[in-house]
Amino acid sequence: MVSQSVAIVDYGMGNLRSVQNAVEHSGGRSVIVANPMELSAYDKIILPGVGAFGQAIACLHQTGLSIALNERREAGAHILGICLGMQLMCSASEEDGIHEGLNWFSAQVIRFLPETGLSVPHMGWNGVDFVRDDPILAGLTSGSDAYFVHSYHVRCDDPTDVLATTDYGLRFDSMIQHGNVRGIQFHPEKSQEFGLGIIRNYLEMPC
Amino acid sequence: MLKKRLIAVLILRDGQVVQSVRFKHTNVIHSDAVHAMEAFNKWAVDEIVILNVSRDSASREQFSEIVERISRYCFVPLAAGGWIDNEDYAQKLLRSGADKLVINTALADDPQLVSRLALRYGRQCIVASMDVKRDASGLPQIAVDRGGRVIDIAPEAWARKAVELGAGEILFNSIDHDGARKGYDLESIQKVCETVEVPVIAFGGVFTWNHLVEGITAGAAAVAVANLFHYTEQSTRKAKTHLANAGVLVRQQGQSLTPAKTGMAA
């Protein structure tokens, strides 16, 4: 029996309540899921996260959540990674050493260079420029501002995976999509109408 | 490009939103903070700061419940502070829906707490709040404990110390300017901005929208307003328009949620 609710993955990191509030405000229902066995009941899964990459990926492996997430991905579930959750979907991160990710995107997670003269973390409201269409962007306006907090950014090897980019000293990939998997570098749950529009589009995607 | 932020501050005493004048809080503005929050949400403010200025530490519990209720309607970053003097309470506020912790008195009384919190939750989670008070000769000093205890140190030195301890942001307030309607303490703000690399939020004294422009010109990354926002209809929208007209890069008013043609960039 497939649940109509969205599973929000709890692996000990991140602002689960904010994501849950945003899903509920957008007319959806959500359940916090920490047990990998329970994930099989969900066709929509949000992987949130704030914190360090190495610790987060270790938690996903130790708990068995990474295996369960891979199974759901192969079964066609819509998986949405937010902030660190997006970065975890990439091949590797250089945060405090090299760590392998879930490798759903052929993409690297790279530190912002201090040479740009801009402060790190990149924190605050910045524009999200769409580069191609996708159901998650339906009805939304390219260039809208979203709320970012991060010190590392994603660079996709395959430009066709990129949905949107953002300018902070350099252009980085702020939204990515490949098949049924999407990653968002900013916090849609903290990006007011624009962010709630993304959540609503995600909830409305047919499974 | 990163935008300059407009921040609304909710001052809470014993659970009610109050007006603050030189750190005295005699005037209740809203008995229910959620009502104030809903208005700010509608009016495209970029961030909310909620401060518990109650004199009694027993107010902690009630305050965290209000944070929890407010966060259900808050779809911008929410920073919460007041009486954070231990890790358990900090965690409680974060679990209640706060995204950032505002720390003031602990910078003086338990600096290691600030470092531990920064290590545990990241620097972006720690906002060092500093209340500046000028002495009889006009020299700016730091006051902690809800303005009750003066420390003989210059604001810029205090800000540097806060950043060393792990603060990722500074919330600058002036007790003399609070509610005085004469604009920010620009001289002190400028010195703090020149000293630290983290974003500085200017707060205390705004009465005209041009005071916001002055704060940005002094070097602040964000400008905060408390009292004025409660008394003017559409106030945050007007504030944003004024900033934009003065050439300050701000987040434009939120797009309508009604479906429109998907915009595409080249």
Side-chain angles (χ1 to χ4, degrees):
Chain A
M1 181 67 189
V2 170
S3 170
Q4 296 299 306
S5 296
V6 176
I8 300 174
V9 182
D10 178 9
Y11 56 103
M13 327 232 349
N15 48 349
L16 306 178
R17 183 182 286 275
S18 297
V19 176
Q20 200 164 27
N21 287 337
V23 167
E24 276 159 27
H25 189 84
S26 307
R29 279 177 299 162
S30 62
V31 178
I32 307 276
V33 176
N35 182 348
M37 309 286 277
E38 289 171 19
L39 266 191
S40 59
Y42 299 92
D43 273 339
K44 285 193 180 150
I45 299 169
I46 296 179
L47 185 63
V50 172
F53 190 101
Q55 197 187 341
I57 197 77
C59 285
L60 286 183
H61 289 320
Q62 280 159 16
T63 52
L65 280 165
S66 55
I67 294 169
L69 284 165
N70 268 314
E71 282 171 5
R72 291 316 297 148
R73 172 178 166 264
E74 279 159 26
H78 287 293
I79 307 183
L80 182 67
I82 295 174
C83 196
L84 179 63
M86 168 202 196
Q87 299 186 354
L88 292 168
M89 296 170 161
C90 297
S91 319
S93 168
E94 60 174 31
E95 183 174 352
D96 301 324
I98 301 291
H99 301 276
E100 278 184 36
L102 294 168
N103 203 25
W104 296 347
F105 289 91
S106 176
Q108 313 305 316
V109 184
I110 306 160
R111 187 165 174 86
F112 280 112
L113 294 174
E115 291 90 87
T116 56
L118 298 162
S119 61
V120 178
H122 169 224
M123 186 189 68
W125 294 82
N126 206 338
V128 177
D129 301 316
F130 305 168
V131 294
R132 67 172 165 84
D133 212 349
D134 185 79
I136 206 158
L137 301 175
L140 300 172
T141 307
S142 180
S144 295
D145 288 310
Y147 187 76
F148 290 85
V149 188
H150 59 128
S151 299
Y152 293 77
H153 65 89
V154 168
R155 182 183 293 158
C156 285
D157 297 328
D158 181 352
T160 64
D161 286 345
V162 180
L163 277 186
T165 64
T166 294
D167 178 14
Y168 190 63
L170 52 84
R171 279 233 160 243
F172 67 90
D173 301 335
S174 49
M175 293 181 79
I176 58 178
Q177 175 264 333
H178 190 97
N180 47 320
V181 176
R182 289 172 179 79
I184 302 177
Q185 181 60 70
F186 51 87
H187 289 275
E189 75 280 14
K190 289 285 163 187
S191 297
Q192 236 184 13
E193 286 141 322
F194 175 65
L196 294 174
I198 286 173
I199 300 276
R200 200 188 53 184
N201 284 339
Y202 174 69
L203 293 173
E204 285 175 0
M205 278 180 192
C207 290
Chain B
M1 284 295 293
L2 204 60
K3 308 300 185 293
K4 300 293 183 188
R5 285 171 287 156
L6 180 67
I7 297 178
V9 182
L10 293 174
I11 312 270
L12 266 80
R13 197 196 55 198
D14 304 325
Q16 296 182 309
V17 181
V18 292
Q19 185 174 15
S20 183
V21 178
R22 293 193 174 85
F23 280 32
K24 302 258 188 303
H25 316 105
T26 45
N27 201 354
V28 174
I29 301 172
H30 289 278
S31 56
D32 187 350
V34 173
H35 291 158
M37 177 61 235
E38 283 173 332
F40 291 147
N41 227 350
K42 220 163 34 199
W43 295 343
V45 68
D46 296 321
E47 194 160 332
I48 306 280
V49 173
I50 175 166
L51 300 175
N52 176 16
V53 300
S54 308
R55 297 280 146 184
D56 187 355
S57 64
S59 60
R60 282 193 193 95
E61 195 66 28
Q62 180 191 38
F63 181 71
S64 71
E65 283 165 18
I66 290 171
V67 168
E68 199 271 329
R69 280 175 57 222
I70 275 191
S71 74
R72 282 185 229 155
Y73 307 95
C74 183
F75 302 109
V76 296
L78 176 65
W83 293 104
I84 300 178
D85 58 6
N86 64 79
E87 283 182 74
D88 286 347
Y89 187 59
Q91 187 184 42
K92 189 181 179 97
L93 287 177
L94 293 172
R95 289 214 171 134
S96 301
D99 300 292
K100 301 179 186 180
L101 302 165
V102 183
I103 314 267
N104 183 310
T105 306
L107 289 163
D109 291 355
D110 189 2
Q112 288 318 306
L113 173 68
V114 183
S115 297
R116 287 200 304 275
L117 292 172
L119 204 62
R120 186 162 168 192
Y121 300 110
R123 288 171 170 264
Q124 84 290 336
C125 189
I126 310 299
V127 182
S129 144
M130 48 190 285
D131 299 327
V132 170
K133 192 179 172 66
R134 289 180 184 263
D135 69 7
S137 64
L139 210 65
Q141 296 173 312
I142 294 297
V144 296
D145 201 1
R146 287 143 285 277
R149 193 162 17 118
V150 172
I151 300 172
D152 186 14
I153 185 169
E156 58 272 25
W158 192 248
R160 191 184 300 120
K161 181 189 159 185
V163 171
E164 282 166 9
L165 289 171
E169 215 170 345
I170 303 279
L171 172 62
F172 177 100
N173 195 3
S174 159
I175 296 175
D176 310 306
H177 287 242
D178 178 43
R181 305 181 164 189
K182 57 185 177 186
Y184 298 121
D185 179 350
L186 296 169
E187 187 193 334
S188 298
I189 288 171
Q190 188 166 352
K191 279 187 185 158
V192 169
C193 292
E194 284 165 359
T195 304
V196 296
E197 301 211 328
V198 301
V200 175
I201 303 164
F203 184 41
V206 169
F207 191 62
T208 72
W209 302 135
N210 208 50
H211 288 150
L212 303 174
V213 179
E214 291 172 0
I216 297 292
T217 308
V223 281
V225 179
N227 303 338
L228 188 57
F229 277 166
H230 297 295
Y231 292 117
T232 316
E233 272 293 302
Q234 300 283 321
S235 55
T236 59
R237 208 174 282 273
K238 286 173 184 160
K240 278 263 176 93
T241 305
H242 189 92
L243 283 164
N245 288 343
V248 177
L249 199 58
V250 288
R251 177 169 71 107
Q252 291 307 308
Q253 308 305 335
Q255 270 78 33
S256 166
L257 269 180
T258 50
K261 202 169 182 297
T262 306
M264 297 287 291

PDB file of all heavy atoms in Angstrom, chain B residues 7 15 20 23 36-37 43 46 54 64 68 88 91 115 135 162 184 189 213 232 235 239 248 262:
ATOM      1  N   ILE B   7      14.757  42.851   7.942  1.00  0.00           N
ATOM      2  CA  ILE B   7      14.405  41.942   9.031  1.00  0.00           C
ATOM      3  C   ILE B   7      13.390  42.584   9.973  1.00  0.00           C
ATOM      4  O   ILE B   7      13.544  43.753  10.347  1.00  0.00           O
ATOM      5  CB  ILE B   7      15.685  41.539   9.811  1.00  0.00           C
ATOM      6  CG1 ILE B   7      16.631  40.771   8.861  1.00  0.00           C
ATOM      7  CG2 ILE B   7      15.352  40.713  11.052  1.00  0.00           C
ATOM      8  CD1 ILE B   7      17.942  40.360   9.483  1.00  0.00           C
ATOM      9  N   GLY B  15       5.335  36.654  26.790  1.00  0.00           N
ATOM     10  CA  GLY B  15       4.489  36.094  25.746  1.00  0.00           C
ATOM     11  C   GLY B  15       3.779  37.102  24.863  1.00  0.00           C
ATOM     12  O   GLY B  15       3.131  36.731  23.897  1.00  0.00           O
ATOM     13  N   SER B  20       9.470  48.612  22.318  1.00  0.00           N
ATOM     14  CA  SER B  20      10.678  48.785  23.116  1.00  0.00           C
ATOM     15  C   SER B  20      11.192  50.215  22.975  1.00  0.00           C
ATOM     16  O   SER B  20      11.405  50.707  21.872  1.00  0.00           O
ATOM     17  CB  SER B  20      11.747  47.786  22.646  1.00  0.00           C
ATOM     18  OG  SER B  20      12.890  47.884  23.454  1.00  0.00           O
ATOM     19  N   PHE B  23      14.918  50.022  25.922  1.00  0.00           N
ATOM     20  CA  PHE B  23      14.837  48.741  26.624  1.00  0.00           C
ATOM     21  C   PHE B  23      13.782  48.715  27.719  1.00  0.00           C
ATOM     22  O   PHE B  23      13.792  47.850  28.581  1.00  0.00           O
ATOM     23  CB  PHE B  23      16.214  48.295  27.149  1.00  0.00           C
ATOM     24  CG  PHE B  23      17.065  47.676  26.077  1.00  0.00           C
ATOM     25  CD1 PHE B  23      16.975  48.094  24.759  1.00  0.00           C
ATOM     26  CD2 PHE B  23      17.953  46.653  26.372  1.00  0.00           C
ATOM     27  CE1 PHE B  23      17.758  47.522  23.760  1.00  0.00           C
ATOM     28  CE2 PHE B  23      18.743  46.068  25.378  1.00  0.00           C
ATOM     29  CZ  PHE B  23      18.644  46.506  24.074  1.00  0.00           C
ATOM     30  N   ALA B  36       1.108  38.972  14.487  1.00  0.00           N
ATOM     31  CA  ALA B  36       2.162  39.829  13.954  1.00  0.00           C
ATOM     32  C   ALA B  36       2.935  39.076  12.869  1.00  0.00           C
ATOM     33  O   ALA B  36       3.252  39.615  11.806  1.00  0.00           O
ATOM     34  CB  ALA B  36       3.095  40.271  15.065  1.00  0.00           C
ATOM     35  N   MET B  37       3.216  37.821  13.148  1.00  0.00           N
ATOM     36  CA  MET B  37       3.966  36.973  12.224  1.00  0.00           C
ATOM     37  C   MET B  37       3.248  36.849  10.881  1.00  0.00           C
ATOM     38  O   MET B  37       3.856  36.945   9.824  1.00  0.00           O
ATOM     39  CB  MET B  37       4.133  35.601  12.888  1.00  0.00           C
ATOM     40  CG  MET B  37       4.819  34.558  12.060  1.00  0.00           C
ATOM     41  SD  MET B  37       6.462  35.035  11.651  1.00  0.00           S
ATOM     42  CE  MET B  37       6.335  34.862   9.886  1.00  0.00           C
ATOM     43  N   TRP B  43       3.830  40.320   3.902  1.00  0.00           N
ATOM     44  CA  TRP B  43       4.449  41.534   3.391  1.00  0.00           C
ATOM     45  C   TRP B  43       5.902  41.366   2.947  1.00  0.00           C
ATOM     46  O   TRP B  43       6.645  42.319   2.839  1.00  0.00           O
ATOM     47  CB  TRP B  43       4.359  42.647   4.438  1.00  0.00           C
ATOM     48  CG  TRP B  43       2.963  43.062   4.718  1.00  0.00           C
ATOM     49  CD1 TRP B  43       1.851  42.815   3.951  1.00  0.00           C
ATOM     50  CD2 TRP B  43       2.502  43.802   5.841  1.00  0.00           C
ATOM     51  NE1 TRP B  43       0.747  43.352   4.535  1.00  0.00           N
ATOM     52  CE2 TRP B  43       1.106  43.967   5.698  1.00  0.00           C
ATOM     53  CE3 TRP B  43       3.140  44.357   6.951  1.00  0.00           C
ATOM     54  CZ2 TRP B  43       0.342  44.668   6.631  1.00  0.00           C
ATOM     55  CZ3 TRP B  43       2.381  45.039   7.872  1.00  0.00           C
ATOM     56  CH2 TRP B  43       0.999  45.195   7.715  1.00  0.00           C
ATOM     57  N   ASP B  46      12.247  39.583   4.878  1.00  0.00           N
ATOM     58  CA  ASP B  46      13.221  38.553   4.481  1.00  0.00           C
ATOM     59  C   ASP B  46      13.606  37.611   5.617  1.00  0.00           C
ATOM     60  O   ASP B  46      14.187  36.552   5.377  1.00  0.00           O
ATOM     61  CB  ASP B  46      14.501  39.220   3.955  1.00  0.00           C
ATOM     62  CG  ASP B  46      14.246  40.015   2.702  1.00  0.00           C
ATOM     63  OD1 ASP B  46      13.459  39.547   1.859  1.00  0.00           O
ATOM     64  OD2 ASP B  46      14.812  41.122   2.567  1.00  0.00           O
ATOM     65  N   SER B  54      11.764  39.046  28.569  1.00  0.00           N
ATOM     66  CA  SER B  54      11.178  38.900  29.912  1.00  0.00           C
ATOM     67  C   SER B  54      12.276  38.957  30.966  1.00  0.00           C
ATOM     68  O   SER B  54      13.392  38.510  30.742  1.00  0.00           O
ATOM     69  CB  SER B  54      10.447  37.563  30.033  1.00  0.00           C
ATOM     70  OG  SER B  54       9.546  37.389  28.978  1.00  0.00           O
ATOM     71  N   SER B  64       9.470  29.224  24.110  1.00  0.00           N
ATOM     72  CA  SER B  64       9.724  28.179  23.115  1.00  0.00           C
ATOM     73  C   SER B  64       8.423  27.672  22.506  1.00  0.00           C
ATOM     74  O   SER B  64       8.376  27.294  21.336  1.00  0.00           O
ATOM     75  CB  SER B  64      10.544  27.031  23.714  1.00  0.00           C
ATOM     76  OG  SER B  64       9.771  26.291  24.619  1.00  0.00           O
ATOM     77  N   GLU B  68       7.481  27.752  18.550  1.00  0.00           N
ATOM     78  CA  GLU B  68       6.907  26.584  17.879  1.00  0.00           C
ATOM     79  C   GLU B  68       5.651  26.960  17.081  1.00  0.00           C
ATOM     80  O   GLU B  68       5.494  26.561  15.933  1.00  0.00           O
ATOM     81  CB  GLU B  68       6.591  25.522  18.938  1.00  0.00           C
ATOM     82  CG  GLU B  68       6.425  24.112  18.397  1.00  0.00           C
ATOM     83  CD  GLU B  68       5.005  23.815  17.989  1.00  0.00           C
ATOM     84  OE1 GLU B  68       4.090  24.378  18.615  1.00  0.00           O
ATOM     85  OE2 GLU B  68       4.798  23.044  17.044  1.00  0.00           O
ATOM     86  N   ASP B  88      20.805  22.610  26.235  1.00  0.00           N
ATOM     87  CA  ASP B  88      19.501  21.967  26.131  1.00  0.00           C
ATOM     88  C   ASP B  88      18.442  22.954  25.628  1.00  0.00           C
ATOM     89  O   ASP B  88      17.614  22.615  24.784  1.00  0.00           O
ATOM     90  CB  ASP B  88      19.060  21.406  27.498  1.00  0.00           C
ATOM     91  CG  ASP B  88      19.844  20.155  27.857  1.00  0.00           C
ATOM     92  OD1 ASP B  88      20.515  19.618  26.952  1.00  0.00           O
ATOM     93  OD2 ASP B  88      19.787  19.741  29.027  1.00  0.00           O
ATOM     94  N   GLN B  91      18.908  23.733  21.982  1.00  0.00           N
ATOM     95  CA  GLN B  91      18.378  22.654  21.156  1.00  0.00           C
ATOM     96  C   GLN B  91      16.849  22.684  21.117  1.00  0.00           C
ATOM     97  O   GLN B  91      16.233  22.448  20.076  1.00  0.00           O
ATOM     98  CB  GLN B  91      18.859  21.307  21.699  1.00  0.00           C
ATOM     99  CG  GLN B  91      18.475  20.154  20.791  1.00  0.00           C
ATOM    100  CD  GLN B  91      18.865  18.820  21.369  1.00  0.00           C
ATOM    101  OE1 GLN B  91      18.709  18.573  22.563  1.00  0.00           O
ATOM    102  NE2 GLN B  91      19.391  17.949  20.524  1.00  0.00           N
ATOM    103  N   SER B 115      30.915  28.839  21.675  1.00  0.00           N
ATOM    104  CA  SER B 115      31.793  28.009  20.826  1.00  0.00           C
ATOM    105  C   SER B 115      31.226  26.612  20.642  1.00  0.00           C
ATOM    106  O   SER B 115      31.260  26.056  19.538  1.00  0.00           O
ATOM    107  CB  SER B 115      33.192  27.915  21.438  1.00  0.00           C
ATOM    108  OG  SER B 115      33.767  29.191  21.490  1.00  0.00           O
ATOM    109  N   ASP B 135      28.354  55.967  27.377  1.00  0.00           N
ATOM    110  CA  ASP B 135      28.511  56.494  28.750  1.00  0.00           C
ATOM    111  C   ASP B 135      28.347  58.022  28.747  1.00  0.00           C
ATOM    112  O   ASP B 135      28.075  58.614  27.695  1.00  0.00           O
ATOM    113  CB  ASP B 135      29.855  56.042  29.353  1.00  0.00           C
ATOM    114  CG  ASP B 135      31.057  56.702  28.688  1.00  0.00           C
ATOM    115  OD1 ASP B 135      30.862  57.613  27.842  1.00  0.00           O
ATOM    116  OD2 ASP B 135      32.189  56.299  29.003  1.00  0.00           O
ATOM    117  N   ALA B 162      33.208  38.040  19.546  1.00  0.00           N
ATOM    118  CA  ALA B 162      32.049  37.181  19.246  1.00  0.00           C
ATOM    119  C   ALA B 162      32.330  36.301  18.032  1.00  0.00           C
ATOM    120  O   ALA B 162      31.994  35.112  18.028  1.00  0.00           O
ATOM    121  CB  ALA B 162      30.814  38.048  19.004  1.00  0.00           C
ATOM    122  N   TYR B 184      19.772  54.653  13.206  1.00  0.00           N
ATOM    123  CA  TYR B 184      20.744  53.765  13.837  1.00  0.00           C
ATOM    124  C   TYR B 184      21.929  54.525  14.421  1.00  0.00           C
ATOM    125  O   TYR B 184      22.199  55.668  14.031  1.00  0.00           O
ATOM    126  CB  TYR B 184      21.299  52.780  12.796  1.00  0.00           C
ATOM    127  CG  TYR B 184      20.285  51.854  12.167  1.00  0.00           C
ATOM    128  CD1 TYR B 184      20.087  51.861  10.786  1.00  0.00           C
ATOM    129  CD2 TYR B 184      19.549  50.943  12.922  1.00  0.00           C
ATOM    130  CE1 TYR B 184      19.183  50.990  10.178  1.00  0.00           C
ATOM    131  CE2 TYR B 184      18.651  50.074  12.328  1.00  0.00           C
ATOM    132  CZ  TYR B 184      18.470  50.097  10.959  1.00  0.00           C
ATOM    133  OH  TYR B 184      17.576  49.244  10.365  1.00  0.00           O
ATOM    134  N   ILE B 189      28.056  51.258  14.154  1.00  0.00           N
ATOM    135  CA  ILE B 189      27.789  50.200  13.166  1.00  0.00           C
ATOM    136  C   ILE B 189      28.900  50.152  12.125  1.00  0.00           C
ATOM    137  O   ILE B 189      29.398  49.084  11.768  1.00  0.00           O
ATOM    138  CB  ILE B 189      26.407  50.415  12.499  1.00  0.00           C
ATOM    139  CG1 ILE B 189      25.293  50.088  13.511  1.00  0.00           C
ATOM    140  CG2 ILE B 189      26.249  49.576  11.237  1.00  0.00           C
ATOM    141  CD1 ILE B 189      23.904  50.447  13.057  1.00  0.00           C
ATOM    142  N   VAL B 213      18.333  52.995   4.613  1.00  0.00           N
ATOM    143  CA  VAL B 213      19.371  53.244   3.601  1.00  0.00           C
ATOM    144  C   VAL B 213      20.675  53.630   4.295  1.00  0.00           C
ATOM    145  O   VAL B 213      21.757  53.163   3.925  1.00  0.00           O
ATOM    146  CB  VAL B 213      18.917  54.351   2.623  1.00  0.00           C
ATOM    147  CG1 VAL B 213      20.001  54.619   1.581  1.00  0.00           C
ATOM    148  CG2 VAL B 213      17.599  53.972   1.946  1.00  0.00           C
ATOM    149  N   THR B 232       2.509  50.661  10.850  1.00  0.00           N
ATOM    150  CA  THR B 232       2.280  51.149   9.495  1.00  0.00           C
ATOM    151  C   THR B 232       1.754  50.009   8.642  1.00  0.00           C
ATOM    152  O   THR B 232       2.386  48.962   8.555  1.00  0.00           O
ATOM    153  CB  THR B 232       3.606  51.678   8.884  1.00  0.00           C
ATOM    154  OG1 THR B 232       4.277  52.453   9.868  1.00  0.00           O
ATOM    155  CG2 THR B 232       3.360  52.504   7.655  1.00  0.00           C
ATOM    156  N   SER B 235       3.877  47.998   5.849  1.00  0.00           N
ATOM    157  CA  SER B 235       5.140  48.684   6.161  1.00  0.00           C
ATOM    158  C   SER B 235       6.353  48.044   5.513  1.00  0.00           C
ATOM    159  O   SER B 235       7.220  48.747   4.993  1.00  0.00           O
ATOM    160  CB  SER B 235       5.323  48.729   7.674  1.00  0.00           C
ATOM    161  OG  SER B 235       5.244  47.423   8.209  1.00  0.00           O
ATOM    162  N   ALA B 239       9.004  49.803   2.995  1.00  0.00           N
ATOM    163  CA  ALA B 239      10.431  49.854   3.318  1.00  0.00           C
ATOM    164  C   ALA B 239      11.263  49.320   2.152  1.00  0.00           C
ATOM    165  O   ALA B 239      12.271  49.916   1.755  1.00  0.00           O
ATOM    166  CB  ALA B 239      10.705  49.030   4.576  1.00  0.00           C
ATOM    167  N   VAL B 248      19.466  50.227  -3.450  1.00  0.00           N
ATOM    168  CA  VAL B 248      19.891  49.067  -2.661  1.00  0.00           C
ATOM    169  C   VAL B 248      19.269  47.816  -3.276  1.00  0.00           C
ATOM    170  O   VAL B 248      18.068  47.790  -3.588  1.00  0.00           O
ATOM    171  CB  VAL B 248      19.442  49.199  -1.185  1.00  0.00           C
ATOM    172  CG1 VAL B 248      19.828  47.955  -0.389  1.00  0.00           C
ATOM    173  CG2 VAL B 248      20.050  50.449  -0.564  1.00  0.00           C
ATOM    174  N   THR B 262       5.494  29.889 -17.170  1.00  0.00           N
ATOM    175  CA  THR B 262       6.816  29.652 -16.599  1.00  0.00           C
ATOM    176  C   THR B 262       7.837  30.562 -17.275  1.00  0.00           C
ATOM    177  O   THR B 262       7.970  30.558 -18.488  1.00  0.00           O
ATOM    178  CB  THR B 262       7.233  28.185 -16.803  1.00  0.00           C
ATOM    179  OG1 THR B 262       6.212  27.372 -16.274  1.00  0.00           O
ATOM    180  CG2 THR B 262       8.536  27.889 -16.096  1.00  0.00           C
TER     181      THR B 262
END
